[in-house]
Amino acid sequence: MDWSGLLIGRRLANQEGQARKITALEGFTAMGLDGLSSSAYGPEAALTMLIPLGAAGLSQIGPIMAAILLLLVMLSFSYWQTIAAYPNNAGSYGVAKDNLGANASLLAATALMIDYVLNVAVGISAGIGALTSALPPLQPYTLPLCLAVLAVIALLNLRGTLEAGIVFSVPTYLFVISLGGLLIYGIVQSVAAAGHPAPVVPPPALPAAVETATLWLLIRSFASGCTAMTGVEAVSNGVGAFREPTVKYAHRTLLMIVVTLAFLLASIAYLARAYHIGAMDQTQPGYQSVLSQLAMAIAGRGMLYYVAIGSVLCVLCLSANTSFVGFPRLCRLVAQDGYLPRAFAEPGRRLVYSVGLTWLTITAALLLILFDGITDRLIPLFAVGAFLAFTMSQTGMAVHWHRQRQEGRAHPVRLTINAAGAVATGAALAVILAAKFLEGAWITVLTIPAVLVLLKTIRRYYDVIDRQLREEGPFDIGSLRKPVVLIPIRRLDRLAEKAVRYGLMMSDEVTAIHLTRLEGPDSEERADRLRRQWRLDVQRPIEAAGAPPPHLVQLPSPYRSFIGRLLRYVAEVRERHPDRPVLVVIPELVKAHWWDHLLYSSRARRLRATLLRHGGSDLAVVVVPWSLAPPQPEAIIEKEEPGLEPAAANAAARRG
Amino acid sequence: MDWSGLLIGRRLANQEGQARKITALEGFTAMGLDGLSSSAYGPEAALTMLIPLGAAGLSQIGPIMAAILLLLVMLSFSYWQTIAAYPNNAGSYGVAKDNLGANASLLAATALMIDYVLNVAVGISAGIGALTSALPPLQPYTLPLCLAVLAVIALLNLRGTLEAGIVFSVPTYLFVISLGGLLIYGIVQSVAAAGHPAPVVPPPALPAAVETATLWLLIRSFASGCTAMTGVEAVSNGVGAFREPTVKYAHRTLLMIVVTLAFLLASIAYLARAYHIGAMDQTQPGYQSVLSQLAMAIAGRGMLYYVAIGSVLCVLCLSANTSFVGFPRLCRLVAQDGYLPRAFAEPGRRLVYSVGLTWLTITAALLLILFDGITDRLIPLFAVGAFLAFTMSQTGMAVHWHRQRQEGRAHPVRLTINAAGAVATGAALAVILAAKFLEGAWITVLTIPAVLVLLKTIRRYYDVIDRQLREEGPFDIGSLRKPVVLIPIRRLDRLAEKAVRYGLMMSDEVTAIHLTRLEGPDSEERADRLRRQWRLDVQRPIEAAGAPPPHLVQLPSPYRSFIGRLLRYVAEVRERHPDRPVLVVIPELVKAHWWDHLLYSSRARRLRATLLRHGGSDLAVVVVPWSLAPPQPEAIIEKEEPGLEPAAANAAARRG
């Protein structure tokens, strides 16, 4: 049973890659979920900061949301032209690398990676948290529900970004239509009532003011609201996922996401004020989210309410998907530069970067398990990474345009947009850091350099090994003296026969080594019988055939050691033949079933591993196999290259 | 840090084996703990069955204990002469194999194995149970305490039977001296008082009789009391552990165990009657064991009481040790005959059969965990195995003497003793089965055939493979045609250079295979550059040196498959050269640190494994290593053969 095939589908060929790229339709769901879902918590986060102001707070939400929207629009313009300028690699990492150097790009990459992981854990647990507070009997299953959602998202993404985009488009478009419809209906009502609509279900009264508005309070409200913007960079990081013409589809996706998000944010802010809806204290009983109050005020607790709130829950859960699109692609770029294990850069059977995907899944699962599915405390850690990456990317673009100007191709508007974006996002980052540092953002601030050091250490190790292996100039083949062949044997059987045959093929100096006393003090030895048999059944027929007869050396192993004993013997052979390489031919029963591992020792495997590791540089190991079940190469080939004709397969070979 | 060395000690040489064998002094503790400890629960078990008879029950314990002692004496005589007749292999398995055939011997072995495992779990949990009922605050730690005792016993036995015997001798001899002294003091008191001694602390009054003595009740009491006899076979199963002269030490050990046990059993029964002490209902509050009542009646709740009862607890816990001596040795014999994986027959670094030992530890730990450290319900499963093995062994010996008589060497006394032993233990087995079948003995009755089938299946599989591998007559070396060499390469580096060098050493037909498009649809290829480099840096210098230049074949791998692709190419090579073997030379970076496994792919390893398993019979794999850290053969040698001089090591080699 091929479970992996059932779960994630058959292996895809390279040429199927182009057809599996996405358009704006799938891009909107695959990359937009993070951004769109933030409309469910961004305005609420800003309003929560305004609770101490009571009813007066509502008059502040307008300007704050205007500032957020302004930043959003600036950011979108910036990313728009980043995508146009770097059609292949528009992410913060690539842009920073090209314009600010390796360290800056790693800083951006680290920040984004951390943010992506947090986004998965926080998104899923927020969605499930909203679900269980709507359906309290589900409360005890919070963690399993979180992990199940994580598994579904991971599995769909392992099948492909396209599949995830298609499957998740149902809840996404349902969300946009139902919530959008609700908000438009509310705006119409409000305009018709000259800004004072009558709520169907009146929201709870706002608490009395305990403070007056200070600049610091407004700044903190703004910083909290900025979480609504995370996810906007996803399109530029995932440009590689789009079909040709890449830039067109990426632009279209970015536009769709930003326009939708801006509309949702603006109308929520407008309607909150119109219906006199403020945030409620989440720790108090009877808590209702801003969106829930709003939906009830506009449409009552009817069908529309449940559809809209249901789709909000869905989209919150699925906001993790954006990370699944961005994280593996980011890791691939970093790995290609040697800062992450190379496996991150290899496309898996479905042409997505499965290693990064799996890594993201495991890390997020660990976070969820660690926090028992309730990751509220992680929210302040969030957004720092995104805004740091925003800033690096914008700064990089500003440098880019500046350089172009020096080369005589001035783009003053573009430079201005990106420079303004850099300043704005940098300022927002400073605000966020200041406002949330003590609440937990310091953890992010400490984690980033740790990850950065790790990435650089990886690169340094790769460099050391690559320097050792590097070969400049022509191959030096040396004198090609015949090797000395050693064959450890336990008895004379067909496997030993096969090993001796291979040994004679490769050298005229073949020695079989039989270790005696391996079975311990209480065993009977048949060492003499083996010696007689060797003369009779091995040396004599081979001599008769005109070949040099192989020797037999019987070594007592008083400590029942076979690896140490052979290493000693190899050292001895080296002394006698310092200029000849050593080949150790290991006859090996190849295990084919799980029970074979219980029934047969792993001596051959351990001997091989130790010889390869500690045998020295002029030693190679020849493994002569005897498989415990018939070989089935066709099954392997069919699994790896489904449906490929053998003729077609090797036709393209180039021989030289 | 060599943790295993610290825990279980350095590796022992074969010739140290004899010096590490045990005498009767260690044998008494290593093998006798099971037997001795049963004095703590055997009489109590018999008395528990007599509770319904009230005070009248005490008059029955005399005859019942007399029957048990008679059986014990018969059994000891039988084992005495079994040890003399089979000085190398006196266990039930060996005796049954020699006289009753393979199936009977496997039945005996299975029964004993099950009993040994149960003995460990039941012994430890009984000891810890007694401890926690004496010190109730320890109650919540029952399972950890059980596992800790198990770990200590297992570790000491991994160090060696000798070490376990020496360490456990302190509690064992303390037990014998304190309990024996107490009992002798009681007997003296009783005799002085003409059989009616005055108790220091009077025991609780016996309950009123609710039944009268029936034969069935007496039989069940006898069957329960027979649990006192398990462990008597341990000496004969462990004969291999004794120093020369084996028989003398084994006889002496058996004698010491049986005499001590018989004395303890007899005096407990006598004193229980003298002091009017009966068993109490264990499920009722205020329960006290028979031994505890007895000790208080004789000596009061003083120092002596605590020492004696404390040593009883200790010995109960350590009764598991007998299994640790017997089980691995039994498994070794069964494995030598091919009914268990061969690893069970290999002596470990300390010359004990570590695999069997570890297996016993794991199984017992699982039982303890499964039953949360309270294995009361397993007690009825017990004893069935021991008595089945007794019966098989006695029957085997009876057949043995019968055969000797047919050969003219009549031993009528010996025959009579073993035949009587067979009948008596067989009858006891029937009684135990009848009395305990419904209480749980049926589980043992069902488990035995299941294990038996498993053992025979293992043997059948070994036979099938051995038949395939068997080689009769002289080796057939064939025509020794030069192999075709294939070398998968990724780039031209020193590792590839080394692989090409080895390839040219072994054949003049060397082809390097470079798979292209492995990196997926979005990667840049440097295939053409590699071709140019190959011509320039490989083919040209090799041709100049006069050797046949290796070919380069570049194969596109549209599915990014490297294993399937190579298997296809191997099939193609086979078609072109049907009579030449194929050697695949794999250049392999050998991982030396844990992080290497994260940083470097396992492609070489997977390729090697699949080629060995599915490459077909005329293919061998040559692994050319490049170790990521310097080799350290000395460390391996020193670990495996501590302190052995190189000169001494190979001096004994026999060359031919």
Side-chain angles (χ1 to χ4, degrees), chain A residues 461-462 572 596 599 641 650, chain B residues 461-462 572 596 599 650:
Chain A
Y461 189 70
Y462 274 132
E572 209 181 278
D596 293 334
L599 293 178
E641 305 190 331
N650 287 339
Chain B
Y461 189 71
Y462 274 131
E572 208 181 278
D596 292 335
L599 293 178
N650 287 338

Side-chain angles (χ1 to χ4, degrees), chain A residues 14 461-462 475-476 497-498 537 554 558 561 564-565 568 572 596 599 617 621 623 640-641 650 654 656, chain B residues 14 461-462 475-476 497-498 537 554 558 561 564-565 568 572 596 599 617 621 623 640-641 650 654:
Chain A
N14 286 339
Y461 189 70
Y462 274 132
F475 271 23
D476 174 21
E497 179 186 58
K498 199 174 161 187
D537 288 343
Q554 291 189 304
S561 127
R565 198 101 291 261
R568 264 194 216 275
E572 209 181 278
D596 293 334
L599 293 178
S617 66
V621 171
V623 187
E640 291 214 336
E641 305 190 331
N650 287 339
R654 300 175 64 186
Chain B
N14 286 339
Y461 189 71
Y462 274 131
F475 271 23
D476 174 21
E497 178 186 59
K498 197 172 162 190
D537 289 344
Q554 291 188 304
S561 127
R565 199 100 287 263
R568 263 192 217 274
E572 208 181 278
D596 292 335
L599 293 178
S617 66
V621 172
V623 187
E640 290 213 337
E641 305 190 330
N650 287 338
R654 300 174 64 186

Side-chain angles (χ1 to χ4, degrees), chain A residues 220-243:
Chain A
R220 282 170 61 214
S221 171
F222 167 79
S224 292
C226 276
T227 51
M229 238 168 300
T230 63
V232 169
E233 83 295 347
V235 177
S236 60
N237 281 315
V239 168
F242 287 105
R243 208 170 283 181

Side-chain angles (χ1 to χ4, degrees), chain B residues 76-90 95 235-237 239 242 246-251 254 397:
Chain B
S76 324
F77 269 110
S78 309
Y79 275 120
W80 185 278
Q81 53 191 37
T82 307
I83 291 169
Y86 287 92
N88 294 318
N89 189 359
V95 171
V235 178
S236 60
N237 281 315
V239 169
F242 287 106
T246 312
V247 173
K248 188 186 98 185
Y249 285 117
H251 273 167
L254 181 63
M397 284 310 291

Side-chain angles (χ1 to χ4, degrees), chain B residues 128 131-133 135-146 372-374:
Chain B
I128 295 296
L131 177 69
T132 55
S133 69
L135 297 168
L138 290 179
Q139 198 94 46
Y141 307 106
T142 301
L143 182 59
L145 282 171
C146 286
D372 217 13
I374 301 159

